[in-house]
Amino acid sequence: MRLKWLIPLLIALAGVALAACGGGSDQTAETSPLAATGGPSPTSSGQAVGAGVSDLAKAVVQIFALDANGDPVWSGSGTVISPDGLILTNGHVVDDRKHEYDHLGVATTSRTDEPAHLGYLAEIAAVDYALDLAVIEITSDIDGKRVNERFPFVVLGDSAKVEIGDKLRILGYPGIGGETITLTDGVISGFTAERSVGARAWIKTDATIAGGNSGGLAVNDNGKLIGVPTIAGSGAASRDTVDCRQIVDTNRDGIIDGLDTCVPVGGFINGLRPVNLALELIDAAGRGATYVSKFEPEPEPSAGFDTRDVSLSKMVFADGVTADDRPANELDAFPSGVARVCGFWDYEGMVDGMSWEGLWFVDGQLNEQGSIVGDTWVGGAAGSWWVCIVDEQNGLADGLYELSISVEGEARGSSAVFVGGSHPPVTLTLENSASKTVCYVFLSPAGAQNWGFDRLGIGQGIEVGATHTLRLAAGVYDLLAQDCNRKDVVDERDLDITRDTTYTVTG
C-alpha cells in the first residue's frame, strides 16, 4: 500500500494545524507529515530536499497540459511532496472539466540554469476547484512505461504558524520570458478571510510573481512548504494575467461604464493558498480515496452566466465574524488600530461557478493584499456572505475603506466605512418637500468611488411632506435622492453631517 506511513501523520497534523492560531515561522521538521524520512538529503533520490535554492529546485516541476499530439495547451508549476511522485499544484493548472487536453506532462530539472525536461506523465489524484488546489501523481514516463524511481520532495510546513513579516522564497516556471526556474523573494504582508474557507483563506505576499509560477512552491526560511502561489483570476476558467476594467464609478455619475477609469486587477500573483488547506487532498491522494470538498460542491464551468437576476443588498461592516457567519460587532465606523474590517451582504440570483470579486479600496486605491480577485462562487443562489481585510499584527491603517463586489466582471454593489478619526454616530433626517415621492436615497462618504446601496430599502419611500431618519457615522457625505422612476431629485456633494442634521429635499 502506497504511503501508509503518511496517513496517520497527515490526520494528526490536520487537527493540530487547523487549531493553531499564530506564533511565528515553522521551525521543526516534526510539524510536517513528510518529515518521517529522517531529514533532508539534497542529493539522494527519494529524500526530502534541503533548504537551499538549488536543492528545492529539484522538487519543483513544470506541468504541461498536452493535446493528443503531445503539444502543450498550457503550463503551470507544481511541487513534489512525496518520494513516490505526488505533486501539489493549483486546480486550474490541471483542470480537466473542459476537456481541452489529453495528458498531463511533468518536467523536472536537476540544475537551476537548465530548462526542465519533460519526462513523465501524471494523473489527477485529488482536486478541489473551490480552493483551486490539486494533487496529481506521476504514473509513467513520457512513453507510458511504468516508473519505479523515487523522487526528491519538499517537506510540508505549518501555514497556521506563519505571520506577517516572515520571509518567503517562491520558485516556479514563469512560462513567459524564460524556460528555466525562477526565484522570487518576499515577505508575508497579510491574510485574507473568506466565508467559505475561513480566517486564512489566503496568505498575501509583497513578492511579484509571474503567471506560470501558479501552482508552484512557497517556502519559509527552513525550506518547508507553507503555500501554493495562485494567480489572481484563475479560479473559474480564466488564464489571463492582466485585467484592467471599469469596476468602480470613478466619475461618480451613478453609472459604471466606459467613461470610468479602468482599474488594473490581477496583473501578478500575490496570493498563496495556505498548505494546511491542502492536507485533506493530500491524505485522500495518499490513500487512493475519493476526495470530496468540504468547502462547497465543486461548480461546473460554464461558457457564460446570465447575471440579470443577481441582486446584492444590505451591506454592513463588523470587526469580526461569529461561529454562524454573522457580524460579531456591527459598526458604523472603526477606531484606529482595528485588526480587521469585515463586510457582510445579502445576495440573490447567484449561480455556483460564477466568477466574483471582493475588492477593497483604501482612500480610493485598490488594496490587493486584502482583495479577493477572480474567485469561483460556491455560495448557492441566495443567502449572506462576508469577506474581511486583516492586519492582526499592526492593525489596519486609518482611512476610508470601500468594499466593491463584482460578479462576472460587473460591479454589483459597494459600501464604505471609516477607520480611525472622529466619527461618532449622528442622524440625518430627510424631509421631503419635493413634488414627488423619494424612492431611493444613496449616501456615501465624499471620498468613496461609488454611491453604494439604497439607504431606504426595497419597497420603502419618503412620501411628499414625510420625513425619514438615517443613522450614520459623522463625516462629509455625498447625497443622491431619486424618484420612483430613478430620476434625480437631489444630487448634493460634500454635505457636512458632523452632528444631527435635517436636510430638506426640494425640487
Side-chain angles (χ1 to χ4, degrees):
M1 291 288 287
R2 181 167 53 84
L3 291 178
K4 280 186 176 180
W5 54 270
L6 172 60
I7 299 168
L9 285 167
L10 271 170
I11 296 172
L13 177 64
V16 173
L18 293 176
C21 54
S25 297
D26 176 26
Q27 297 295 321
T28 62
E30 284 74 20
T31 63
S32 169
L34 297 181
T37 57
S41 176
T43 58
S44 300
S45 179
Q47 295 294 307
V49 298
V53 172
S54 61
D55 296 331
L56 291 167
K58 297 172 184 176
V60 179
V61 301
Q62 191 168 21
I63 300 171
F64 292 95
L66 304 172
D67 63 19
N69 297 320
D71 296 322
V73 181
W74 67 76
S75 68
S77 300
T79 304
V80 181
I81 57 171
S82 76
D84 55 351
L86 288 184
I87 298 168
L88 179 63
T89 185
N90 277 143
H92 75 269
V93 171
V94 299
D95 191 346
D96 64 344
R97 298 172 298 173
K98 299 180 72 174
H99 308 293
E100 293 181 353
Y101 68 89
D102 292 274
H103 305 285
L104 285 175
V106 176
T108 60
T109 187
S110 59
R111 291 175 56 96
T112 58
D113 58 355
E114 294 179 351
H117 172 68
L118 182 59
Y120 303 97
L121 297 177
E123 295 179 355
I124 297 174
V127 63
D128 191 323
Y129 292 114
L131 291 176
D132 198 10
L133 291 173
V135 178
I136 65 175
E137 177 186 9
I138 292 176
T139 55
S140 70
D141 66 16
I142 198 66
D143 297 318
K145 298 178 181 178
R146 182 177 178 179
V147 295
N148 296 312
E149 63 187 281
R150 310 286 280 175
F151 297 90
F153 64 93
V154 174
V155 173
L156 299 188
D158 186 349
S159 57
K161 292 185 176 181
V162 299
E163 283 299 341
I164 293 173
D166 286 357
K167 294 180 180 180
L168 293 173
R169 284 172 293 165
I170 298 169
L171 285 168
Y173 290 87
I176 299 175
E179 297 180 340
T180 59
I181 198 167
T182 60
L183 167 71
T184 305
D185 287 318
V187 299
I188 293 173
S189 54
F191 305 96
T192 299
E194 183 186 348
R195 174 178 170 173
S196 61
V197 180
R200 290 196 176 189
W202 296 95
I203 299 171
K204 293 302 183 83
T205 171
D206 66 350
T208 298
I209 317 161
N213 285 287
S214 191
L217 169 89
V219 297
N220 61 17
D221 276 344
N222 298 312
K224 307 298 190 301
L225 180 66
I226 57 89
V228 179
T230 303
I231 189 168
S234 66
S238 171
R239 300 184 211 289
D240 296 334
T241 59
V242 177
D243 188 3
C244 187
R245 48 196 160 84
Q246 287 77 22
I247 52 177
V248 291
D249 185 14
T250 54
N251 63 2
R252 297 302 299 275
D253 64 354
I255 303 171
I256 298 174
D257 56 20
L259 298 178
D260 294 300
T261 303
C262 78
V263 178
V265 176
F268 298 95
I269 304 168
N270 75 334
L272 312 175
R273 274 300 194 193
V275 72
N276 287 10
L277 293 177
L279 293 178
E280 293 188 11
L281 278 90
I282 299 170
D283 175 43
R287 292 185 290 112
T290 300
Y291 171 82
V292 178
S293 174
K294 69 178 182 181
F295 294 98
E296 296 294 346
E298 296 166 1
E300 290 297 323
S302 172
F305 291 94
D306 187 347
T307 61
R308 287 176 294 180
D309 293 332
V310 173
S311 174
L312 310 183
S313 62
K314 296 181 181 178
M315 183 175 286
V316 299
F317 295 97
D319 60 2
V321 184
T322 65
D324 58 350
D325 291 309
R326 296 181 181 276
N329 185 25
E330 188 175 330
L331 297 171
D332 294 322
F334 291 79
S336 293
V338 65
R340 65 181 59 211
V341 173
C342 301
F344 296 74
W345 68 95
D346 293 343
Y347 61 91
E348 295 179 350
M350 295 291 289
V351 179
D352 284 348
M354 283 179 164
S355 175
W356 76 281
E357 295 167 340
L359 304 178
W360 287 98
F361 294 84
V362 181
D363 293 333
Q365 299 298 313
L366 178 66
N367 185 291
E368 293 188 0
Q369 303 301 327
S371 295
I372 293 174
V373 181
D375 209 352
T376 302
W377 184 256
V378 292
S384 62
W385 209 253
W386 58 262
V387 296
C388 301
I389 184 169
V390 183
D391 189 340
E392 296 282 5
Q393 189 172 47
N394 302 311
L396 296 170
D398 288 357
L400 180 64
Y401 283 67
E402 186 173 8
L403 175 60
S404 176
I405 308 300
S406 67
V407 179
E408 289 291 302
E410 301 175 6
R412 307 300 299 198
S414 67
S415 192
V417 66
F418 298 106
V419 173
S422 178
H423 301 282
V426 296
T427 60
L428 172 65
T429 299
L430 297 172
E431 185 178 82
N432 187 8
S433 294
S435 60
K436 57 189 73 175
T437 299
V438 172
C439 287
Y440 304 95
V441 171
F442 301 91
L443 193 68
S444 65
Q449 300 180 92
N450 299 282
W451 280 111
F453 292 101
D454 172 33
R455 296 286 185 125
L456 296 183
I458 298 174
Q460 296 189 27
I462 310 174
E463 299 289 342
V464 176
T467 62
H468 184 86
T469 300
L470 300 171
R471 187 194 73 178
L472 63 156
V476 178
Y477 287 83
D478 296 335
L479 170 66
L480 177 66
Q482 296 178 327
D483 65 18
C484 297
N485 294 317
R486 303 304 294 260
K487 301 296 185 182
D488 292 357
V489 179
V490 168
D491 187 343
E492 181 88 24
R493 306 298 172 104
D494 298 324
L495 183 62
D496 188 339
I497 313 177
T498 52
R499 57 186 178 276
D500 292 347
T501 303
T502 297
Y503 183 90
T504 301
V505 178
T506 60

